[in-house]
Amino acid sequence: MSFLGFLSSTTYCFTDYDVNVVLIPKKTNQLRLPFVFSGRDKETGEIKRYTYFSNTTKSITNARIYLQSIKEFQSESVVDNYEKVLFMQMAPTAKKPMADKVFVTPVVRLSIDLCEELLSKLERSTVSDDVKFAISEWVLTFNEHSFSHLIKTCSKKRESIEKGRMEELIALQNKRVQEIFNSESVKLVGRGLNRLIRDKKGYEIQVALLNCYNVRTLTRIIRDINLLYYKNYNQYRLEEKHIAEIIGFSETDKDVQIIGDAILTYSTVFFERKEQKE
């Protein structure tokens, strides 16, 4: 009976690994099946469940299952009933699969819109595999390191994230990340660099930000943005108070990296849809 209960409440998939996914309840005693991949048979019209995926990896598949499950739970208003998602992976071998890794990911209140945005990037063939792996890493860990990696990867691969979704991603980070990302001075320098990059002027600065890990490098980058902006548009982008605020955030090397990620976000990742005039 325990085995039958397990089978009825687990999502099984096979990619480069065998993967079983189970939901851990919090405020309910109801076992709930996570998202399963399915489609309609063209000949019979019957709904068929898909378990095998040949051109993907376990991390992308796991992220898709997680996001689809959260999306469905949000639409049904039952997301608070579940605490974690348990992933069990088995490595294929010549005889029988070997236990590889077991991990849990917390159930996070991602909006339906954010789930759809991330899923579209995971499922589109035009999106770089590097971006897909970075999204999957963040979805399955929700930590500061994976968020930084996501921002850098999107910047390098020119993958943009819409304003509302980016703001939600920022709101899910810790207070220090939110403080730096929401700084008007940081936004100011980031949007200034965005203008330079659009005019084919700021690529070297973008590369420098991808490798910015100490306050000396950060100070030089901000100075270079200001000077390059003046050279091209005959005005400085930043006043002394803006520079002082940005440098004031850099109490540790980790803070410097967060500042670099924030500038990259507003210069190369963040975009705002223009409202259509009636």
Side-chain angles (χ1 to χ4, degrees), residues 7 19-21 24 33 43 47 53 85 93 101 121 123 170-171 178 242:
L7 289 179
V19 177
N20 278 296
V21 186
I24 300 176
L33 186 70
E43 296 182 359
I47 299 296
F53 302 93
V85 183
T93 63
K101 186 177 181 181
K121 294 184 186 301
E123 294 166 358
I170 294 168
Q178 291 184 47
H242 300 128

Side-chain angles (χ1 to χ4, degrees), residues 161-192:
I161 299 176
E162 190 270 333
K163 176 186 176 184
R165 309 294 76 75
M166 192 69 243
E167 289 175 343
E168 184 175 350
L169 285 173
I170 294 168
L172 290 167
Q173 309 311 309
N174 63 47
K175 289 183 178 180
R176 187 58 168 171
V177 173
Q178 291 184 47
E179 181 184 15
I180 292 172
F181 269 75
N182 291 326
S183 163
E184 290 303 321
S185 296
V186 172
K187 292 179 182 180
L188 190 68
V189 68
R191 288 163 180 163

Side-chain angles (χ1 to χ4, degrees), residues 18-74:
D18 289 337
V19 177
N20 278 296
V21 186
V22 180
L23 290 162
I24 300 176
K26 180 173 61 175
K27 294 183 178 180
T28 178
N29 57 8
Q30 178 187 7
L31 287 175
R32 178 70 182 266
L33 186 70
F35 175 81
V36 294
F37 298 97
S38 62
R40 190 176 296 277
D41 188 286
K42 293 182 180 179
E43 296 182 359
T44 65
E46 181 183 3
I47 299 296
K48 302 182 82 173
R49 180 171 172 176
Y50 301 128
T51 58
Y52 176 68
F53 302 93
S54 60
N55 295 318
T56 187
T57 65
K58 61 181 182 296
S59 61
I60 294 175
T61 301
N62 288 346
R64 289 178 63 193
I65 293 171
Y66 180 90
L67 290 169
Q68 290 282 13
S69 298
I70 298 298
K71 176 184 170 184
E72 288 187 4
F73 287 1
Q74 285 283 41

Side-chain angles (χ1 to χ4, degrees), residues 242-257:
H242 300 128
I243 297 174
E245 180 181 2
I246 296 170
I247 300 302
F249 284 128
S250 55
E251 297 176 4
T252 66
D253 288 346
K254 181 180 286 188
D255 289 334
V256 170
Q257 184 173 325

Side-chain angles (χ1 to χ4, degrees), residues 69-87:
S69 298
I70 298 298
K71 176 184 170 184
E72 288 187 4
F73 287 1
Q74 285 283 41
S75 65
E76 298 174 25
S77 300
V78 296
V79 69
D80 290 332
N81 293 347
Y82 297 88
E83 182 178 14
K84 298 175 183 177
V85 183
L86 173 66
F87 293 89

Side-chain angles (χ1 to χ4, degrees), residues 49-155:
R49 180 171 172 176
Y50 301 128
T51 58
Y52 176 68
F53 302 93
S54 60
N55 295 318
T56 187
T57 65
K58 61 181 182 296
S59 61
I60 294 175
T61 301
N62 288 346
R64 289 178 63 193
I65 293 171
Y66 180 90
L67 290 169
Q68 290 282 13
S69 298
I70 298 298
K71 176 184 170 184
E72 288 187 4
F73 287 1
Q74 285 283 41
S75 65
E76 298 174 25
S77 300
V78 296
V79 69
D80 290 332
N81 293 347
Y82 297 88
E83 182 178 14
K84 298 175 183 177
V85 183
L86 173 66
F87 293 89
M88 296 167 283
Q89 298 172 175
M90 303 286 285
T93 63
K95 294 183 178 181
K96 64 178 182 179
M98 293 180 60
D100 173 64
K101 186 177 181 181
V102 176
F103 66 96
V104 293
T105 298
V107 171
V108 177
R109 267 187 166 275
L110 306 178
S111 71
I112 293 175
D113 288 340
L114 180 57
C115 289
E116 290 178 344
E117 171 96 0
L118 297 177
L119 281 166
S120 71
K121 294 184 186 301
L122 290 175
E123 294 166 358
R124 288 204 312 267
S125 60
T126 54
V127 175
S128 161
D129 285 345
D130 288 343
V131 172
K132 292 180 180 181
F133 291 137
I135 291 172
S136 300
E137 181 188 5
W138 180 76
V139 165
L140 298 174
T141 61
F142 292 109
N143 61 37
E144 189 178 314
H145 172 77
S146 61
F147 178 67
S148 175
H149 180 56
L150 173 59
I151 294 300
K152 286 183 170 66
T153 304
C154 286
S155 179

Side-chain angles (χ1 to χ4, degrees), residues 4-19:
L4 289 174
F6 174 79
L7 289 179
S8 67
S9 59
T10 183
T11 294
Y12 170 79
C13 290
F14 177 71
T15 58
D16 51 344
Y17 279 67
D18 289 337
V19 177

